Amino acid sequence: MEKAPIQQFVFRCLAVSCLLLAPLSGFADKNKPGGKNPKGHALPTPAAAGCSPTTAQNDLDINNVRTTIMVGGDFWWDLDDAKYEIPINSNKHSLFAGALWIGGLDQSGQVLTACMTYRQTGNDFWGGPIDTTNATITSGTCTDYDKHFIITKEEVQAFIEDPGSATKVIKEWPGNGNSSINEGFYLAPFEDVNGDGIYNYLDGDYPRYLVAPNEFPSDTIPNTSFERTQCQEYLFGDKTIWWVFNDVGDNHTETLSQPIGLEIRAQAFGFKSNDEINNMTFYQYQVINRSKTRLDNTFFGQWVDPDLGNAVDDYVGCDVARGLGYCYNGDADDDGTNGYGMNPPAVGVDFFQGPRADLGDGVDNDRDGCVDCTYYIDINNDTTTVSDSIVPELIIMSKFVYYNNDFSVIGNPVGFTDFYNYLQGIWKDGQPMTYGGDGHQANNPICNFMFPGDTDPQFPGQPWTEVTAGNAPEDRRFLQSAGPFTLEAGAVNYITTGVVWARAESGGPEASVDLARLADDKAQALFD
């Protein structure tokens, strides 16, 4: 199934909503980059807020997955160990860490980045919404929002039936920002029962879940006005963790970049089911550029450190059409104390939807075969072609980069130039990725996707995997990014990703990869 031959209407509402390392377990053994200012970049001017690093962490555990979510832009770990346990209560983990990466160029051509990895050199994100007038924040606000708001659809439904059953989170839901310090008027999604715009559970207001597709109007062509009024107010899943964070709380000590001015409203969610969805988790980010600066050549990225059981015997790859990056075992036996054993699973991250493309850029950004336009199916199963002058294309995974856990030119990023290069599919020495081998062969053709197997349409009949490259299985990490596009001042964009997992009973690692692809199709169908 291709990623977007025809985009389903309801999925678009979900994805767009509000227009908008380790030889052994344990962090100490991850061999990540360290040291201060290693590339000689000047640290930014100290921010007034001086926010402390976030500390809050909570588990998403509604189905067959238990994973830890942090406030500061990272997740799947607890600052020490892997925390993506699947099957739940097995003490087996398939991911070590993940984080959001964002980078672009300001009007002077300066690289600006906001990224996280392992925090050992610092942070680029802090808790809380920021001042809408000047893109600043106070340390007190950072501290106040160093927390998650954890809610289930079941408790909301119980409240609707019996308003006297309001739980603590319903009573304290952050539906509105603090207007006295210029936070955005609307913050977390809620149902405004009396239409006054103010969240108050005593008026019957409640956190608003997407319950069924028939909640959406049957407009054939979804437009910006529709998206803003109908899609922005929803939570998803059976259990949801909602939080808000920013990149202006202090110096960017992870990437050493100047702050951008981003406010990011996030939700992690899962569904309880009796099929493949029970092994999945999902993530949506509403990214708001609160600054007065336009960023050119911008990329949004999902960074992943997948430790599949035993961390040192893994391979990675991608499926271009699906927008899927995945990790699988390098042999049929994932051995060791942390291993899954024979016929180990595969885990994948799907970049379901990314930011809005620039109008008329001449690129088929959603790879649906329609350049500068998008195919839609409405609820009557009628097909409509929409020009990007009406609704700009959404960019799905446009780069897939793997880098080594070392300090070579194809190793760990150090400083904002490296982070931004990886978002663009460029190595630390400035050479673009090339097709074949380790992706750093100067005489090979330039490519966008590493280890795509036979799924890259640019190279038909030329499969490229870690196996064909002759790589030894090891500790892997990868990056999926979407871009380039122009991030205007005040713009709102969305990123929606999901983690899929599958384990074949026989056939070895490749059989689990095949099942993960099918599970990913199921995840796409869930949104559709």
Side-chain angles (χ1 to χ4, degrees), residues 49-56 70-74 116 119 123-131 136-149 183 187 242-250 262-265:
C51 293
S52 299
T54 62
T55 60
M70 314 290 284
V71 171
D74 48 351
M116 291 290 285
R119 300 198 188 195
N123 299 268
D124 280 9
F125 291 118
W126 298 265
I130 58 182
D131 190 309
T136 62
I137 195 169
T138 67
S139 60
T141 300
C142 287
T143 300
D144 289 344
Y145 281 91
D146 186 8
K147 60 184 176 182
H148 296 108
F149 296 85
E183 293 174 0
L187 198 56
W242 189 94
W243 73 105
V244 57
F245 60 105
N246 69 85
D247 86 312
V248 300
D250 208 335
L262 301 175
E263 177 180 316
I264 302 168
R265 303 170 182 182

Side-chain angles (χ1 to χ4, degrees), residues 38-54:
K39 294 197 71 175
H41 299 311
L43 289 170
T45 302
C51 293
S52 299
T54 62

Side-chain angles (χ1 to χ4, degrees), residues 342-360:
M342 295 298 296
N343 291 303
V347 64
V349 179
D350 191 315
F351 205 108
F352 287 114
Q353 293 290 348
R356 291 289 184 186
D358 294 346
L359 297 182

Side-chain angles (χ1 to χ4, degrees), residues 23 74 78 107 144 149 167 284 391 424 483 491:
D74 48 351
D78 65 356
Q107 298 308 283
D144 289 344
F149 296 85
T167 58
Q284 186 184 77
V391 180
Q424 301 175 90

Side-chain angles (χ1 to χ4, degrees), residues 381-400:
N381 208 35
D382 295 326
T383 302
T384 301
T385 301
V386 183
S387 167
D388 75 344
S389 63
I390 300 174
V391 180
E393 286 184 313
L394 292 171
I395 308 174
I396 61 174
M397 184 180 77
S398 50
K399 306 286 182 181
F400 179 85

Side-chain angles (χ1 to χ4, degrees), residues 327-355:
C327 176
Y328 59 107
N329 214 61
D331 54 52
D333 183 10
D334 185 32
D335 56 4
T337 303
N338 300 319
Y340 279 97
M342 295 298 296
N343 291 303
V347 64
V349 179
D350 191 315
F351 205 108
F352 287 114
Q353 293 290 348

Side-chain angles (χ1 to χ4, degrees), residues 325-450:
Y326 55 82
C327 176
Y328 59 107
N329 214 61
D331 54 52
D333 183 10
D334 185 32
D335 56 4
T337 303
N338 300 319
Y340 279 97
M342 295 298 296
N343 291 303
V347 64
V349 179
D350 191 315
F351 205 108
F352 287 114
Q353 293 290 348
R356 291 289 184 186
D358 294 346
L359 297 182
D361 64 1
V363 178
D364 183 12
N365 293 283
D366 51 11
R367 288 198 293 278
D368 64 352
C370 188
V371 177
D372 293 334
C373 58
T374 299
Y375 295 131
Y376 289 98
I377 292 181
D378 67 15
I379 61 174
N380 298 315
N381 208 35
D382 295 326
T383 302
T384 301
T385 301
V386 183
S387 167
D388 75 344
S389 63
I390 300 174
V391 180
E393 286 184 313
L394 292 171
I395 308 174
I396 61 174
M397 184 180 77
S398 50
K399 306 286 182 181
F400 179 85
V401 180
Y402 152 76
Y403 63 85
N404 288 324
N405 182 20
D406 57 32
F407 298 92
S408 69
V409 296
I410 59 173
N412 294 303
V414 183
F416 55 81
T417 300
D418 293 347
F419 284 90
Y420 185 53
N421 276 350
Y422 278 147
L423 283 165
Q424 301 175 90
I426 298 173
W427 296 114
K428 290 164 62 175
D429 61 357
Q431 178 179 309
M433 286 190 308
T434 55
Y435 200 81
D438 64 0
H440 191 265
Q441 308 297 318
N443 295 325
N444 287 2
I446 294 173
C447 67
N448 293 316
F449 307 100
M450 291 189 68

